[in-house]
């Protein structure tokens, strides 16, 4: 069995090989024999590295077909974040607030950029989300998530959009386990309406302030211990 440090090094070398050869997602990986020859390690070491990379989504094993370059989605990071925020005795609520802070940093800058320039259709789509938020139920929460995703998509930064989605999903999954009263649909819609109004005015400063006020309200609920079911 490869030592942990050696295993990490082999994994990094396989990643380097994927990048150097410009292997796209879905492309067949080199065979074990080829990897053994290229890297100069045993078959078992290659297999252990492949298992590690598979867990990260960097490679994909299709039984009966072979090993392929994976899409390297955010599932591995989602699993890690969920574990970190839910570990007993590890300051769960504090970590949820930390996660909220990171989301705020990302979304504040993205919203400022969108305020400077955006498609007219964006306002229509965001307003539709706000209208849906005013109604309680599963669709209200879905509209909340879609609202933030639309702004991230408009900003044009795919990585930031993926991270925001990830933070949203992890936050909601973790907070739901802590229980607490649901947020007022009217209050949630009002906070998001303020952001829409700032975008309509094409005012980056007003947009930033609206985002901060939105997250301030969520933090107040968190501080009071009402973690479950509030809009964010």
């Amino acid at each position: 069995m490869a030592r942990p440090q050696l295993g990490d090094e082999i994994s990094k070398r396989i990643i380097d090989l994927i990048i150097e050869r410009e292997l796209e997602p879905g492309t067949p990986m080199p065979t074990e024999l080829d990897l053994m020859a290229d890297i100069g390690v045993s078959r078992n070491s290659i297999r252990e590295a492949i298992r590690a990379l598979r867990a990260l989504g960097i490679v994909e094993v299709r039984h009966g077909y072979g090993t392929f370059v994976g899409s390297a989605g955010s599932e591995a990071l989602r699993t890690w974040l969920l574990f970190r925020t839910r570990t007993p005795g590890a300051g769960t609520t504090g970590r949820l607030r930390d996660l909220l802070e990171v989301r705020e940093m990302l979304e504040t800058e993205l919203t400022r950029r969108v305020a400077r320039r955006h498609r007219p259709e964006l306002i229509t789509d965001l307003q539709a989300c706000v209208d849906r938020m005013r109604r309680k139920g599963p669709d209200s929460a879905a509209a909340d998530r879609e609202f933030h995703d639309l702004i991230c998509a408009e900003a044009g930064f795919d990585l930031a959009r993926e991270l925001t989605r990830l933070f949203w999903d992890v936050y909601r999954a973790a907070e739901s386990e802590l229980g607490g009263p649901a947020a007022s649909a009217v209050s949630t819609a009002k906070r998001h309406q303020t952001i829409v109004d700032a975008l309509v005015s094409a005012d980056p400063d007003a947009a930033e302030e609206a985002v901060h006020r939105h997250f301030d309200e969520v933090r107040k609920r968190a501080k009071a211990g009402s973690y479950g079911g509030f809009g964010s």
Side-chain angles (χ1 to χ4, degrees):
M1 180 180 293
R3 298 189 305 274
Q5 186 173 0
L6 177 58
D8 290 343
E9 179 61 30
I10 295 171
S11 296
K12 291 176 182 177
R13 291 174 69 179
I14 293 176
I15 292 173
D16 289 342
L17 184 149
I18 292 173
I19 295 172
E20 290 167 2
R21 298 186 183 182
E22 299 181 350
L23 302 180
E24 298 181 355
T27 302
M29 285 286 293
T31 65
E32 288 183 350
L33 290 176
D34 288 337
L35 291 173
M36 290 166 59
D38 290 337
I39 300 176
V41 295
S42 68
R43 185 188 298 270
N44 284 340
S45 295
I46 292 296
R47 288 180 175 177
E48 287 185 22
I50 291 296
R51 281 195 290 269
L53 294 175
R54 182 184 182 186
L56 297 173
I58 295 174
V59 301
E60 176 186 353
V61 178
R62 303 176 189 173
H63 296 292
Y65 294 94
T67 305
F68 300 80
V69 178
S71 59
S74 60
E75 188 58 39
L77 183 55
R78 177 182 288 107
T79 301
W80 176 79
L81 279 173
L82 270 172
F83 175 78
R84 195 171 190 278
T85 56
R86 296 164 64 199
T87 303
T92 301
T93 56
R95 287 178 177 177
L96 284 176
R97 285 192 291 269
D98 288 347
L99 199 58
L100 194 66
E101 292 287 344
V102 175
R103 268 195 60 202
E104 182 178 8
M105 293 176 195
L106 276 174
E107 293 195 36
T108 297
E109 180 57 30
L110 294 176
T111 306
R112 282 188 63 89
R113 296 188 181 210
V114 171
R116 297 188 186 100
R117 186 176 63 182
H118 57 264
R119 298 171 297 109
E121 295 83 1
L122 174 68
I123 301 302
T124 300
D125 293 340
L126 292 176
Q127 189 62 61
C129 288
V130 173
D131 293 340
R132 288 163 54 199
M133 286 180 213
R134 293 191 174 96
R135 302 187 293 270
K136 292 184 178 181
D139 187 57
S140 178
D144 192 341
R145 186 184 193 280
E146 184 179 334
F147 181 96
H148 294 276
D149 190 57
L150 283 168
I151 291 178
C152 292
E154 190 73 14
F157 292 89
D158 291 340
L159 179 58
R161 183 184 185 188
E162 187 171 358
L163 286 172
T164 300
R165 285 175 172 176
L166 172 66
F167 295 155
W168 169 279
D169 291 340
V170 170
Y171 191 88
R172 292 302 293 261
E175 66 158 5
S176 66
E177 297 187 0
L178 298 176
S184 162
V186 174
S187 174
T188 298
K190 182 178 180 180
R191 297 199 307 270
H192 289 80
Q193 184 66 60
T194 303
I195 297 174
V196 175
D197 293 342
L199 296 180
V200 170
S201 301
D203 187 337
D205 292 335
E208 177 178 346
E209 179 63 22
V211 173
H212 284 317
R213 288 186 178 182
H214 169 51
F215 281 94
D216 282 344
E217 180 62 28
V218 178
R219 269 191 297 273
K220 287 179 183 178
R221 291 177 58 81
K223 188 174 181 179
S226 301
Y227 295 96
F230 54 82
S232 57

